[in-house]
Structures are given as structure tokens and as C-alpha cells.
Amino acid sequence: MLTPLERVVFLALAAGCLAYAAVGFRQVFAAIRRGHGGFPTDRWPQRVARTALQVLAHQTLWRTRRPVAIFHAFILFAFTYYFLVNVADLVEGFTGFSTAHRGGLWGIYNLVADVLSVLALVGMTYFLVRRFVFRPRSFRFNPQVMLLPGVEAGIRRDSLVVGGFILFHVGSRWLGQAFKLAAEGPDPWQPLASAVSTLFVGMPEPALEVGVHATWWVALGLILLFLPYFPRSKHIHLFFAPVNLALGLPQPPGRLEADGKGAARLEELPWRRILDAYACIMCNRCQDVCPAHQTGRSLSPAALEINKRYYLNRHLREFSRGAPSPPLWEYAISVDAVWACTTCSACVHICPVGNAPMLDIVEIRRRLLEEGEVPDPNLQDVLVKLGKYGNSFGKPERQRGQWTKGLPFRVKDARRETVDVLWFVGDYASFDPRVQEVTRTVARLLHQAGVDFGILYEGERNSGNDAGRVGEAGLFEVLAEHNIRLLDQATYRVILTTDPHSLNALRNEYQALGRRYPVVHYTEFLLQLLEEGRLKVVQPVGRKVTYHDPCYLARYNRVTEAPRRLLQRVGAELVEMPRNRENTFCCGAGGGRIWMREEPGQERPSESRIREAATLGVDTFVVACPKDYTMYTDAVKTAGYEGRMVVCDVAELVAQAVGVRAEVLAQV
Amino acid sequence: MAEVMVFAERQGDSLAEVTYELLAAGRQLSQALGCELSALLVGPGAGALAGGLGTADVVVCAEDPQLAHFTPDGTLQVLEAAVQQRSPRLVLLPSTSQGLDLAAPLSARTGLPLVAYCRELWAEDGVVVAHSQVYGGKLVVEVAVPERGIVCLLPGSVSAEAGRAPGTPRVEVLSVPGVSARARFRQRFEPEAGDVDITREDILVAVGRGIGDRENLSLVEELAEALGGAVCASRPLVDNGWLPKNRQVGKSGLVVKPKLYLAVGISGAPEHLEGMKDSELIVAVNTDARAPIFDVAHYGVVADLFDFLPALTEAVRQRKG
Amino acid sequence: MDVVVCCKLVPDLVEELEVNEAGTDLDWAAVRWVLNEFDDHALEEALLLKESTGARVTVLVPEADGAEEVLYTALAKGADRAVRLTGLPPGAGSRALAVAFSRVLPSVGYDLILTGVQAVDDVDGQVGGLLAGMLGLPYVGVVTGVQVDWQVHKAVVRKEYAGGVVEELEVDLPAVLGIQSAQKPPRYAPVSKVRQLMREGKAEALPAELPAVPRAAVRRVFRPQTDRRAQILEGPAEQAAAQLVAILEERGLLRR
């Protein structure tokens, strides 16, 4: 169909664009390779299969913004299909072979192309209207969020270019079909294009011919011209998102790398974190679920990835050749923001392209700490206490088991005696006076059920989970080594804990030191006791409650149903929080934040969560984590809900239901 | 001749309050031991000040012009000479910034044993006995000084009244040739005269580490306002910069004796207690029932200050109408 | 330009302090040893001097349970040398420690000696002052800031008095300074660095003999009697507040 001149010009254009694009892509690969870390060589067939399924089923997009996911599906399917279409059009241009007016497989091919073309146009129009007319709040960053100059304008420009590209590429190609059908007659297998072709039917033949050629050139020419633009555009996610998803994240997502080197600059990060910048689609989903950003603080995981990307865009040549880059806290994320992170991993969980901004933050923290840059004296004080006394309260180890003194029975010493269940109590459950009452209630429940359990008394140390997340890998090791020494000497079947942070450390983080412990959360264990009849419900709770999923339990460790079944068993009527299960909203204590001074912001994350609960018409807020207990008890007061909302631990409800005395029975 | 020698601490052109306390303690000792009480006065104008030291039997003056401002090294040399020339049975020094610079070096140079942080001091059967507080006030050490020695007395341990007795002591001049001060005064910085002089306030609401974050100070300020008093603080908060230095109560801050001292979130470390224990009415608010502050307080509330302060502010406002 | 920091370990006040059977001393077996917090400030001030003038910092620590931690933390913070003095039993007292320091210091070499102004257990005298007296050096205590001009062998120090008054003094070197607080809070030493240095084993040891020193006789050690104990106002916040308001009104403290 193309004239010889056209063919020559096209080939020349193709050669030029491909060469130019190759340079850009090569630089991108070189840039990513500057980061450290190995390349996984295992299970690639499974990875590819899993990712293909993920992408086609839009699994990662479905977690939030569902209407967007639908329209994106239109575009994604259209674009994937258009790979075939572009090839076919290229062939048609050079050989004249046309797929139109044929039945059978070609007919189906054309029908799908026709429908998808229109869907793509609809989808892309939706996205442009959404961004430029509706202007959702998600696209705005908090005022103190660090942004490279020109980023916001850059994102708008990029969106327009990509949007324009898709509209013109698909639109032009589809119009081209309409022109062709206007000359050749309608094709039953291309109903939509045929319908439009009726508009052109009256036009003279040469005009239609021009139309066909022009649209061909626009469609395929735009592809060529767009190729070198990819390295600068978020549209490169076409390549890097599936790759990122196929490479996967450590399990569970958010688990820290054992290597405690830390990173100040982009090139010091693992190469996976540089790849993240290229997979990022700048959708800001991560920012929407970030407890720091949502309460007005300077942290935006989205801004972090976007800044990295824009830095790379602007310095790609030097960077790909090994030039050093400035410290990340000078352009990508402010030091305040680095420390505002609660390590709740909501950003990691929600990201559709498999990014992990939280891991960048921990790497930066490691480096800041290594250089002695501790953000606030409270934190430094706590780290010193952890090192000296093995707990964040600065209490001597001897006092660790003193919470047991209020009990009418002796709790076995798992250091000396064999036990069935070794209860790893944790700092807050051991030392915080309010939580101690819950701890005693749990002990009474276990005793009532005849469970053979014991604790490590003075031998137990803080699990090290949060020390690691603050960036003190050395302190994590010291604490973990100590706990491991004791656990290795003890005889038990399973470890029980009420603290999701400790659970996460024992089950996941201790693998870095060669141990993987069988740990169960007390909600799972209490449920089991009820199901086995070792505890019996004598008086159902009969109360409407809502339940807050702890981050480290629901997101990191996927335990969401056991607490719910437990609540159901004891006769509580559960009204779900809008953000529940893996979408739970952090209380703000994690990542060492409970040890740091308050950062100025609109409100605390815990207050925001209480307000969320208040909209449900319930007066009982159920928690299953010691830090949640303290955070939300405070938040009820400071948010002004005292007397209207009461915070209650799951154990207290269970105790009430089975007729065991609870230390404190939450009364409104 | 054996004597009890008191180092008279000066504050510019007058005598420091603690000097009278030392004289009172010294008088009692010298009477029990049957010897004279002397006061060592250093620096120009010593002679003129001698009249204020009526409790002493003899005032020893060393008027070296190098010692116009207190210089640790220079004053030490004079003190050492005084001890060597007069061989006092006991040397009494204040446990103050000046005294701390003198006591230990003097002990090393003269070989006389030193007893620091003394709270109580008396003589029995010719032996001087001291009670000193150690380990942050958790324990008391009872020390005997059978022969010669040096005692460093904590300010506020003894009533100064007996030290202000009128009298005309003998004046003796101490000649110390060749004083060469290796530490010399350069300049003095007064604390910024703030808006408020807490030593003159009747009602003080004192805040300590228990307040947690800086933002929470507003709770304290509201209460102080409702009561018509002023806010003051323990050292850690001033060190953090949350309140100016002129609001600091304690050993290295100001000593206050208001009608009401409401200690909020303050544990009661000895250094702080020194600054406020003579307040007329002390009320302490703390979540720890065993905090030492409750030992000096008249009334106590074991509660979370975040609960109690708003409640008290409200109650005060209502009562005042 | 050698700055030597003389440290001591003291009983940790977080623990319950037990008095021995005879009531004459602390029960040393039950003691957890920690670095005297003022010595931590002295170390920080020395490190600040290292940063501003290039001085070399040596840390001396008497041997005790926990001394290793202190030595390697000091190295991790930036000290050049860390020396453990062996042969001193716990509870030897400040004076004995000062003598031990004074005998070792000439071989270590010093232009300026920093130490904490006091410690919770130095009832027999502060180490800094005693040390200065023994070495015949000038001593200034309660110091909150040090600047040094090594060329002219002089230091300018800020000395704190009660009531927030601060005086600046010029001191001839060599001298001993008793640090009250450093110009910046003591820095943090990351645990991994401390562990790394421990593996490298850079700390040294020097023997110290236990000298006989004049000491006032300790007759007994006991817990202070607290004759006055506050009257606790019971009940929830509102109730206690109401009681307190009544007391204040009774005493005429609620006048407008």
C-alpha cells in the first residue's frame, strides 16, 4: 500500500528512532545495574506465568480505585492486542496484505481490534478528563513534601504526551480503518469502524486514499517517535512493571534485607530500588494509603519514587556512566520524611507495579544512623536503653516478668522447664501498665484452658523488629542473637505472642540469622482453644464492635480471618472498618515512631482511625496488638471521644465470654 | 591552733547565702569540739566584708588583687596556704560551683580526706560525723572524720539563721606570696532577664520530663494562667530549649520558695529538690507512686497529668467564677 | 595535642541498690556498671575538640563489668585510643582511681584532661579535682564549653553557676577540666560499628596498682528515712482536682 518513497522514509525513520531509543534504553539499563544485589535465576517459568496472570487479571490494580482499574483494563488489553495490530498494519503497508473483509480467524481478529480500539479511546479520554478536569486530590502532594523543581509540571506534561500518543495512535489507526471501509465498503467484522466510515462514504477516492496513508503514518509513525521518549516517560512501565512484578519482593513484602550497609545515594541502593523508579506509574496510590501523608506530614512514598525518576531523567547520561549523585535527602526525600515512616508497608502492598518505597527509607535510615545522625534525642535514648537493658522502657531485665505477680498461679519458666507453648511476651505487654492488664487476662485464659505455657522471664529481650526498622541493623542482630540463644535452649512446640511486631521478627526477620520459628498469634490460638472446646463460651458478648487489623499481623503476615472468627465465636457483632484487612490504616506507632517525638501534622494517624471508626455507629474499638492498645487508648482521649468510644483488646472480650475475670472490662 | 575553718563564698561585693549556712554549721561544730571558728575571705575588699561574719571568731583575709573575680586556681592556692599556715581541724566548703572547684584539689594537695555532698554534720566525742547523700539520693553514707578533714556541705542543709549572729571577729591577714592564677576570669554572662522572675512568684506550676512533648506545655500554661501563677521547669526541659533558663528550678537554676509549688511530671531528683523543697505548699502530680517528689510534697496525686491537668484547670476556673 | 578523657563506671541507678549485710557498703555483686553520665559528656566535648582542632583523643576506663562496652563505644564515636586500667576493684573509690590515673597519665601523654565534674558515688571527692591536685594542674569544674588554642597553650572555658550565670575563664594548659555538659548532646554510636571494632580488638590495657589513700571512715550506709510522705488525693481526676481546689481555697491561694 505504501509508495516506494514512503517505504524508504519509513525505514529511515525506523532506523533513526530505534537507534536513538536504543541509546536511551541502554543508559537506563546501565543506570539500574549500578545498584547492588544479585539477579534471581530460579523459577522463571513460574514467575512469567504468575505475572502474566497478574497483569491480565489486573490483580494488582484491583485493590483500590476500581473504576480506574476498569478503564485501565480497556487500555491495557487494547495496547497488548495492538502489538499484533501494528505488526499486521506494518505488513499491510509493505505488502498490501489486508485483513479486512475476511471471515474466520481474521474476522475475529478484526472484531477484537475494532472493539478494543474504541474502548482504548474511551479509557484514555476518561483518564485525561479525570486528571485535568476532575483533578482528584490524590495527585496533589502535601506542601512540605520534597519535590524536584518542575516535577508536577513534568507529570502533567508526560500525561498529556502519553494520553495524546494513545489517542492519536489508536484513534488514527481506527480512523484509518474507517477511511478504508469507506472506499471498500463496510466490514461486518468491524462494526464500529464501519459505522464511522459512513461519514466518509461521499468523499472522492483520492481523498480517502490520502486519509488511509495519513492515518497509517500517524499511527505507526507515532510509535516510532515515541520509542525514544520512553526512557523519559512513566509510560516505560509497559516494560518495567511486568519485570518488577516477575522479579517479585522478599516474602513477606516489607521484609528487610539482611545486609546493613545503608544507602545515602541512588547508586548505593539495591538495583531493585532503582528499577522501582522506572516501574513507577506516578499514580500516588501509595501516598493515599500512607499514614504519614494522610495526616499532613512531609512523607510521600510516591514523591520519593517520582523524584528518583526525575533525577534519573535529567542526569541519565552521567549517571549511567558512573557519575556520583547527591544524597537522596537532598532531592528525593527530606530527612524529616525519612523518619516519619511507620514501616506499615501499606505502600508496598498497594503498589500495582511492585514497588517498595519503604525499603528505600529503611536503607536511608541505616546510613543516617551509621553517620550518627539520630533525628531526635528520644530515639537515641531508646536505642541506648535497648542496647543496655534489652527493652525500650529502660527498666532492668529483672522486672520483665513482674507482670505475672498479679496472677493467682505461677507462670512456668520456659528457660528451665519444658513447655508446650512458649509465650514471647514483648516489651509493651511486659512493661506498659495498661497493657500488663491485658497480658494478665491472656494468662488467665490460657490457664483456664489448661494450656501448658511458660515465658522466658528476664531472658527475653525486645525482638528487635522495630530496631531494625529504625535502621539499627547492629542492634537488631544483638537482640536477635540473644533471643535465639535462649529459644534454642528451650523446649517447646510452638511460640505464642500477642505482639505482631515480635511475631514478624520471629517468623520472618530472624531468617536472616538462620532461624524460622513456629509462631502463632494469640487470636489464632484462642480461636483454636474455643474450637477444641478447651474454652467454652458461657455468655456471648452481644455487642457491636469494630476491629482494627494490626499492620504487622494483617499486611505483613496475612492473619486476618482468625481474629474475625474469634470475635464471631464470642458473640460480638463485627462492623467492618472501611479500611480493613490488608488495607488497614496504621496506628502510627511502628518504625520506631512510638519512640520519637511527635511530628507536626494535622492529626495523629491513630486519631484519624478513631474518627473512621466513629462513623460506623459502634462504641467499641477492638485491637489485637499491645502498641495499638496504647495508641488508641490515647487517641480516644485526644480526639475527643472519651465516653463515646472504648478501646478493648480481643482478649478482654474472650475473657468476658468464657467467664474468666478480665483485669479491666471496657465499659462505655 | 586547731580551728574549724569556713570558706566564705562571695557573690561579687556581698556574701553568698550559703556562707551563712556554713557559719551556722561551723559554729555548732567549733563549740562541740572546743575550738575557734574562722572564716576565710578571699579577694579585694575582704576587710570590708568581715563585719558580716559575726558568727566567726576570726576572719582571715587574703586580699590579693588577682582574686577580684573568683578564679578556681588562684583561690585554691590561697586556701592551700591557709590550711598549711593555720592547720585547721576541719575545713568547711560549700557544695556549689565555687566549692566544687576547691574541695577536691585541696584534699589532694593537703592529703586531708574529703567528705562531699554532706547533708548533716555534727561532732560526737571529738569526732566529726557527716551524713552524705549518694547515688542520686537513694542512699546515705555516714562518715567519720576522727582527725583533720574537709567537708563539702550542700546548700539548704542547715538553717542560716545561726550564721547571721552579730559580732566583731578578729581580722587576721593571710599573706600568700606568689599567687599565680592559671585560670583567669574573662567575662560574665547574666541569664537573660526574662519577663518573669520566678523567685518572686507566689504560685508556680513546675513541669518536668513527664510532660512528654513540647506541644503539651500548653496544658501547663493554661493551668498556670487559671491559678494566676507562672510556669517553671526542671533542667531537662530547659536543656531542650522548651523554656528559657530563667525558668529553671534546681541546683544549677534558681531556688524558689513560693506559696504553692505544683510539680507536674517531675520525679524529684535531688538536684531539683534543692531548688524548691522549702516551698510552703508542695503538690506533686506523677504517675509513679514511688517517685521521690512525693517525699517532699505535702499532697500528691497519682494520676496521668493529661487527665489531671485539664480537670484541675476546669475546677479552678469554676471555683474562681 | 592530646586530650585524655578519664572515665569511671558507676552503679546504674535504674537498679535497686542493695546494701551489704554489714550495712557498711553497697552490695557490689548486685551492681550493674554504667558509664558516669558526666564522663559521657566529657568524651563528647573531647570529640568536639578533635573535630575542631584535630586533637587526639584517648579514653581511660578502669576495668569493670561493662568496661569493654564503654571502651569500644568510645572508639566507635571517634576516640583514637581506648585504654583499660586493670587491677582496680569495684568500690575502690574516687581517690584511689584518681591516684591510679595520675600514675598512668604521664606515660599516656596529655595536654588537656577532661573528666565528668562529678559522679553519683564520689563522696570521697570528685576525680577531676583530686587528679588536678595530684598532678599540680589547674582545675576548673562545672564546665559547659571548651575552646582550645593549642599554639598558645590556653583554653577558654565556660563555667556554670547557680541561677543560670555563666562565666568565661582562660585556663593555662595543661589543665584538668570537670565537664558538666558538652556543647552538644553525646553522639550516638551505631551498634554495628561498636561490634565491628570489638572484633578488631583495638582497645589496650594498662595495669594499675591499688594505692593506699587517706579516707574518711565509712561507718554505715543506709536508705534515707522519709519522714514526710505526701497525702495522696484519691479518686479519678475530677475528684482529686476538686479536693485540691478545696485545699487551695482554704489556704487562700485562689484569690483572683
Side-chain angles (χ1 to χ4, degrees):
Chain A
M1 175 261 283
L2 294 173
T3 68
L5 179 61
E6 281 179 305
R7 292 171 199 224
V8 168
V9 171
F10 185 83
L11 287 171
L13 183 65
C17 290
L18 282 167
Y20 190 8
V23 169
F25 273 91
R26 207 172 36 234
Q27 285 171 345
V28 168
F29 282 115
I32 295 174
R33 256 203 304 273
R34 282 193 73 188
H36 66 263
F39 192 90
T41 50
D42 59 313
R43 298 179 297 124
W44 272 99
Q46 292 95 315
R47 289 176 193 266
V48 170
R50 188 194 71 220
T51 306
L53 204 60
Q54 254 182 333
V55 168
L56 289 173
H58 263 55
Q59 270 172 9
T60 59
L61 275 167
W62 209 245
R63 292 168 189 153
T64 183
R65 299 186 194 173
R66 291 187 180 179
V68 166
I70 296 175
F71 287 105
H72 180 271
F74 293 169
I75 300 183
L76 181 140
F77 288 125
F79 236 68
T80 317
Y81 196 77
Y82 254 59
F83 187 69
L84 285 177
V85 170
N86 289 332
V87 168
D89 287 352
L90 201 56
V91 166
E92 182 171 342
F94 278 80
T95 66
F97 173 79
S98 164
T99 63
H101 311 293
R102 294 173 199 259
L105 274 175
W106 289 123
I108 298 174
Y109 159 81
N110 276 317
L111 177 61
V112 173
D114 193 39
V115 169
L116 283 180
S117 297
V118 173
L119 286 180
L121 291 174
V122 167
M124 200 59 242
T125 309
Y126 166 80
F127 280 122
L128 287 170
V129 166
R130 177 171 176 261
R131 181 179 280 275
F132 290 103
V133 175
F134 296 149
R135 307 209 208 171
R137 226 174 126 253
S138 303
F139 290 137
R140 284 198 289 281
F141 302 95
N142 284 345
Q144 319 97 294
V145 171
M146 183 181 266
L147 283 175
L148 277 173
V151 156
E152 287 177 292
I155 296 176
R156 280 196 297 271
R157 195 173 46 234
D158 196 19
S159 305
L160 273 177
V161 169
V162 172
F165 161 64
I166 294 179
L167 282 177
F168 278 98
H169 168 69
V170 172
S172 182
R173 195 263 165 194
W174 188 62
L175 266 185
Q177 295 306 304
F179 278 122
K180 206 161 93 159
L181 297 179
E184 298 169 1
D187 181 348
W189 291 100
Q190 294 183 67
L192 301 166
S194 300
V196 171
S197 72
T198 58
L199 294 172
F200 305 139
V201 154
M203 288 167 69
E205 185 83 26
L208 291 174
E209 185 77 17
V210 167
V212 167
H213 279 244
T215 54
W216 189 97
W217 270 98
V218 169
L220 288 172
L222 275 180
I223 296 257
L224 289 179
L225 290 176
F226 200 85
L227 284 175
Y229 180 68
F230 268 110
R232 293 211 151 8
S233 168
K234 58 184 172 165
H235 210 49
I236 206 174
H237 77 273
L238 295 189
F239 306 108
F240 284 116
V243 167
N244 212 16
L245 289 171
L247 286 167
L249 283 168
Q251 287 309 313
R255 196 174 119 211
L256 298 183
E257 308 218 344
D259 210 342
K261 290 286 178 296
R265 292 154 218 273
L266 201 49
E267 58 267 25
E268 293 169 328
L269 288 169
W271 65 269
R272 289 296 308 279
R273 303 283 81 78
I274 306 181
L275 176 58
D276 280 356
Y278 279 102
C280 180
I281 52 178
M282 308 185 188
C283 68
N284 292 8
R285 279 175 176 77
C286 52
Q287 174 175 291
D288 280 350
V289 296
C290 173
H293 196 265
Q294 288 311 98
T295 50
R297 288 165 173 86
S298 58
L299 168 60
S300 162
L304 170 59
E305 299 294 354
I306 294 172
N307 284 328
K308 280 158 59 184
R309 180 62 193 281
Y310 270 77
Y311 178 83
L312 287 163
N313 282 358
R314 292 169 184 177
H315 303 269
L316 189 55
R317 197 144 143 261
E318 314 92 82
F319 188 84
S320 64
R321 287 179 184 180
S325 66
L328 288 159
W329 51 78
E330 284 179 16
Y331 68 92
I333 177 170
S334 66
V335 171
D336 273 351
V338 167
W339 294 109
C341 176
T342 67
T343 68
C344 72
S345 82
C347 55
V348 176
H349 172 259
I350 205 77
C351 179
V353 299
N355 282 356
M358 186 193 82
L359 295 181
D360 288 50
I361 291 174
V362 176
E363 289 298 311
I364 298 174
R365 285 181 171 188
R366 282 174 171 168
R367 178 56 61 87
L368 287 171
L369 266 191
E370 214 204 317
E371 297 183 355
E373 302 280 336
V374 185
D376 80 36
N378 283 12
L379 178 61
Q380 180 168 334
D381 200 32
V382 168
L383 290 176
V384 171
K385 283 175 181 163
L386 277 170
K388 239 193 237 179
Y389 307 106
N391 66 74
S392 56
F393 288 76
K395 297 260 166 78
E397 298 94 320
R398 261 183 310 110
Q399 289 183 19
R400 203 169 181 109
Q402 281 193 355
W403 63 268
T404 58
K405 286 207 171 47
L407 295 166
F409 53 86
R410 185 187 75 88
V411 175
K412 277 168 97 169
D413 185 345
R415 292 173 294 176
R416 295 183 238 290
E417 311 167 66
T418 303
V419 295
D420 183 49
V421 174
L422 192 153
W423 182 0
F424 191 95
V425 188
D427 276 10
Y428 269 78
S430 302
F431 291 110
D432 185 292
R434 290 170 291 188
V435 187
Q436 278 177 340
E437 298 181 349
V438 175
T439 313
R440 278 191 284 268
T441 302
V442 173
R444 284 175 196 270
L445 285 168
L446 295 176
H447 182 76
Q448 167 98 335
V451 176
D452 175 19
F453 73 97
I455 65 174
L456 292 169
Y457 284 94
E458 299 92 82
E460 188 187 285
R461 297 278 181 278
N462 183 297
S463 70
N465 188 66
D466 288 14
R469 271 153 172 72
V470 155
E472 247 291 8
L475 183 54
F476 165 79
E477 260 176 40
V478 168
L479 293 166
E481 280 168 10
H482 179 99
N483 284 324
I484 287 173
R485 213 166 27 244
L486 265 99
L487 287 170
D488 281 355
Q489 287 165 12
T491 316
Y492 58 91
R493 180 183 53 92
V494 72
I495 300 179
L496 170 78
T497 186
T498 61
D499 175 25
H501 292 236
S502 301
L503 186 146
N504 186 60
L506 291 166
R507 185 187 281 174
N508 303 313
E509 304 292 344
Y510 280 24
Q511 285 179 40
L513 293 160
R515 296 288 188 285
R516 202 199 165 111
Y517 290 107
V519 202
V520 70
H521 192 241
Y522 74 126
T523 52
E524 300 173 292
F525 195 72
L526 289 174
L527 176 64
Q528 198 182 339
L529 291 177
L530 281 166
E531 286 174 346
E532 289 172 0
R534 292 165 79 179
L535 283 174
K536 291 185 179 33
V537 174
V538 298
Q539 190 194 9
V541 166
R543 218 162 154 174
K544 245 192 188 173
V545 307
T546 188
Y547 171 69
H548 165 80
D549 291 274
C551 298
Y552 276 87
L553 191 64
R555 250 196 303 273
Y556 276 88
N557 288 287
R558 303 264 190 275
V559 177
T560 54
E561 300 317 308
R564 287 172 165 76
R565 295 211 306 273
L566 181 60
L567 284 171
Q568 192 184 41
R569 274 235 163 206
V570 299
E573 189 194 323
L574 175 60
V575 179
E576 291 280 4
M577 295 284 275
R579 294 176 286 190
N580 63 60
R581 293 181 175 80
E582 286 102 347
N583 285 333
T584 188
F585 187 75
C586 182
C587 73
R593 286 242 36 100
I594 201 172
W595 300 328
M596 299 189 221
R597 280 193 298 229
E598 188 91 4
E599 250 227 37
Q602 298 157 359
E603 60 176 350
R604 301 188 180 130
S606 50
E607 291 169 355
S608 160
R609 194 71 166 144
I610 291 288
R611 281 187 234 283
E612 187 181 340
T615 62
L616 300 172
V618 297
D619 59 19
T620 307
F621 189 88
V622 179
V623 295
C625 162
K627 290 205 251 304
D628 279 339
Y629 194 83
T630 58
M631 295 297 286
Y632 288 117
T633 314
D634 283 342
V636 160
K637 285 184 205 161
T638 56
Y641 282 89
E642 198 153 15
R644 292 186 282 155
M645 176 85 69
V646 84
V647 174
C648 186
D649 190 279
V650 168
E652 293 174 291
L653 291 178
V654 175
Q656 191 182 352
V658 305
V660 156
R661 202 200 106 192
E663 302 296 317
V664 164
L665 222 27
Q667 305 285 348
V668 176
Chain B
M1 173 165 64
E3 64 189 22
V4 171
M5 178 186 290
V6 161
F7 174 80
E9 180 171 318
R10 289 173 68 162
Q11 216 168 45
D13 290 331
S14 53
L15 294 167
E17 177 72 16
V18 72
T19 303
Y20 297 107
E21 296 176 14
L22 290 173
L23 285 171
R27 176 86 267 157
Q28 200 189 32
L29 277 177
S30 63
Q31 273 168 352
L33 291 169
C35 61
E36 283 200 317
L37 175 65
S38 70
L40 176 65
L41 207 42
V42 170
L49 285 173
L53 296 161
T55 314
D57 298 309
V58 59
V59 175
V60 181
C61 296
E63 297 212 8
D64 193 319
Q66 280 188 78
L67 306 170
H69 287 275
F70 174 74
T71 151
D73 195 48
T75 310
L76 175 68
Q77 291 172 33
V78 170
L79 196 44
E80 199 183 335
V83 168
Q84 249 142 34
Q85 289 179 30
R86 304 180 68 90
S87 298
R89 166 85 164 75
L90 197 72
V91 182
L92 272 183
L93 289 155
S95 192
T96 57
S97 189
Q98 282 193 21
L100 281 178
D101 281 6
L102 301 169
L106 182 67
S107 168
R109 306 232 29 99
T110 59
L112 297 176
L114 166 60
V115 181
Y117 314 119
C118 174
R119 271 243 158 274
E120 270 181 83
L121 191 57
W122 70 95
E124 53 186 49
D125 303 323
V127 174
V128 174
V129 184
H131 274 178
S132 292
Q133 66 179 32
V134 288
Y135 302 118
K138 285 192 170 188
L139 292 178
V140 176
V141 172
E142 184 174 291
V143 184
V145 188
E147 292 169 16
R148 301 173 60 207
I150 304 168
V151 174
C152 227
L153 193 64
L154 285 167
S157 305
V158 172
S159 161
E161 216 184 302
R164 281 192 232 270
T168 40
R170 301 192 311 275
V171 176
E172 289 177 17
V173 169
L174 181 75
S175 95
V176 188
V179 165
S180 166
R182 296 168 296 175
R184 294 167 293 280
F185 171 84
R186 272 182 31 153
Q187 51 176 330
R188 183 181 169 96
F189 300 96
E190 297 282 346
E192 274 159 31
D195 41 343
V196 164
D197 181 356
I198 57 173
T199 61
R200 290 196 197 288
E201 293 280 333
D202 277 342
I203 295 178
L204 288 175
V205 182
V207 55
R209 270 209 265 238
I211 196 72
D213 293 322
R214 189 184 194 147
E215 292 90 59
N216 303 331
L217 282 177
S218 57
L219 287 172
V220 177
E221 279 156 13
E222 275 171 35
L223 176 59
E225 201 194 355
L227 284 168
V231 176
C232 62
S234 59
R235 188 183 179 129
L237 270 65
V238 174
D239 280 349
N240 278 356
W242 295 0
L243 282 158
K245 202 93 167 84
N246 68 336
R247 302 282 186 138
Q248 184 178 328
V249 170
K251 180 177 167 147
S252 49
L254 296 164
V255 175
V256 295
K257 294 181 188 167
K259 295 203 164 95
L260 170 64
Y261 191 85
L262 186 52
V264 174
I266 292 179
S267 60
E271 297 78 43
H272 184 77
L273 295 184
E274 252 183 66
M276 44 62 70
K277 64 184 182 12
D278 291 327
S279 307
E280 282 179 38
L281 178 63
I282 302 172
V283 180
V285 181
N286 201 302
T287 49
D288 181 4
R290 285 174 311 178
I293 189 80
F294 289 117
D295 293 336
V296 296
H298 300 95
Y299 292 97
V301 180
V302 181
D304 187 349
L305 60 88
F306 295 107
D307 291 330
F308 186 73
L309 288 187
L312 182 60
T313 308
E314 183 57 34
V316 168
R317 284 187 181 141
Q318 278 191 6
R319 191 58 73 95
K320 283 198 178 182
Chain C
M1 300 180 303
D2 285 299
V3 178
V4 181
V5 183
C6 295
C7 299
K8 73 191 304 219
L9 286 109
V10 297
D12 191 348
L13 298 185
V14 154
E15 303 278 357
E16 288 297 313
L17 297 174
E18 307 286 340
V19 178
N20 67 11
E21 291 264 328
T24 54
D25 208 347
L26 205 53
D27 180 4
W28 298 110
V31 162
R32 181 212 295 268
W33 296 100
V34 290
L35 177 63
N36 174 21
E37 73 166 291
F38 294 106
D39 291 339
D40 203 11
H41 280 265
L43 173 60
E44 180 61 31
E45 194 68 29
L47 292 169
L48 289 170
L49 279 174
K50 175 175 171 170
E51 282 168 7
S52 59
T53 68
R56 219 163 32 151
V57 174
T58 303
V59 175
L60 302 181
V61 180
E63 184 158 58
D65 222 351
E68 286 290 294
E69 188 78 30
V70 171
L71 288 163
Y72 284 103
T73 303
L75 287 171
K77 288 185 182 183
D80 298 288
R81 265 181 90 188
V83 181
R84 195 171 72 247
L85 294 186
T86 60
L88 290 166
S94 302
R95 204 182 194 96
L97 185 57
V99 173
F101 279 142
S102 69
R103 291 185 184 165
V104 159
L105 276 164
S107 63
V108 169
Y110 60 89
D111 293 299
L112 174 64
I113 300 171
L114 299 183
T115 186
V117 63
Q118 60 187 108
V120 295
D121 64 350
D122 54 7
V123 67
D124 60 335
Q126 295 81 21
V127 170
L130 292 170
L131 186 56
M134 290 169 195
L135 292 173
L137 298 176
Y139 176 71
V140 181
V142 204
V143 170
T144 55
V146 184
Q147 312 281 346
V148 176
D149 187 341
W150 298 107
Q151 307 286 22
V152 301
H153 301 292
K154 290 202 205 306
V156 172
V157 305
R158 296 210 157 190
K159 178 179 167 66
E160 215 178 64
Y161 289 86
V165 174
V166 172
E167 282 191 352
E168 205 175 73
L169 297 163
E170 185 184 73
V171 185
D172 296 336
L173 299 182
V176 180
L177 299 176
I179 304 295
Q180 167 79 19
S181 60
Q183 291 173 70
K184 286 198 191 142
R187 64 195 62 189
Y188 182 69
V191 172
S192 52
K193 225 186 220 178
V194 176
R195 299 230 294 174
Q196 172 66 22
L197 288 165
M198 269 189 189
R199 280 193 283 270
E200 291 170 16
K202 281 179 60 188
E204 306 161 39
L206 276 179
E209 333 135 21
L210 178 61
V213 292
R215 224 185 148 157
V218 172
R219 301 217 295 212
R220 60 186 183 116
V221 175
F222 57 94
R223 272 182 222 295
Q225 307 308 326
T226 48
D227 46 347
R228 187 171 63 188
R229 196 67 212 179
Q231 181 182 337
I232 303 295
L233 304 176
E234 304 279 3
E238 282 78 16
Q239 194 180 327
Q243 289 178 62
L244 182 55
V245 166
I247 293 169
L248 295 180
E249 190 170 36
E250 208 181 278
R251 297 195 175 215
L253 287 164
L254 286 188
R255 287 165 288 123
R256 276 233 125 266

